[in-house]
Amino acid sequence: QVQLVESGGGLVQPGGSLRLSCAASGFTFSNAAMRWHRQAPGKERELVAHISSRSFTSYADSVKGRFTISRDNAKNTVYLQMNSLKPEDTAVYYCNAISGYNYWGQGTQVTVSS
């Protein structure tokens, strides 16, 4: 059974940092591309960052230079380091695995507010 469990969300002030984690199980993690998406209230879900099985990365323009996606294949975990957070980064963040099928986590709330 595939599981993606996100953690690390919370409330942070503008300019602050958070690191999200997504622990994966039930599939061959090292062969999977991994993504972080987010969905703000009243908006469509958007792709934030992508990391291939070979650790090539890409980012949405809105987070480029502030967010970093990484993976640890030994721990079956993908991370999203978020720096210089802005109120517009407030959203539920979802982990997504692409391994034959698309698998999704349950999401973790990130709120950026003073």
Side-chain angles (χ1 to χ4, degrees):
Q1 180 182 358
V2 172
Q3 282 194 311
L4 297 172
V5 180
E6 299 104 331
S7 61
L11 173 64
V12 63
Q13 292 187 342
S17 298
L18 282 175
R19 189 176 82 153
L20 306 183
S21 300
C22 172
S25 61
F27 62 98
T28 305
F29 180 80
S30 59
N31 290 346
M34 300 296 297
R35 293 176 171 176
W36 286 98
H37 300 249
R38 68 185 180 188
Q39 187 165 20
K43 295 189 175 181
E44 293 187 355
R45 190 172 296 189
E46 64 171 340
L47 175 63
V48 174
H50 168 96
I51 186 166
S52 74
S53 59
R54 297 183 178 184
S55 294
F56 293 110
T57 60
S58 60
Y59 300 91
D61 287 343
S62 58
V63 307
K64 207 170 289 184
R66 300 188 297 123
F67 290 12
T68 302
I69 189 171
S70 62
R71 64 191 298 157
D72 185 338
N73 289 341
K75 296 182 178 180
N76 285 2
T77 300
V78 62
Y79 304 97
L80 185 68
Q81 177 67 43
M82 305 185 294
N83 299 328
S84 302
L85 282 161
K86 305 175 181 180
E88 52 263 43
D89 294 318
T90 295
V92 178
Y93 284 70
Y94 296 92
C95 177
N96 168 220
I98 304 167
S99 180
Y101 297 96
N102 260 310
Y103 302 107
W104 293 88
Q106 81 289 350
T108 185
Q109 176 70 47
V110 171
T111 302
V112 184
S113 175
S114 55

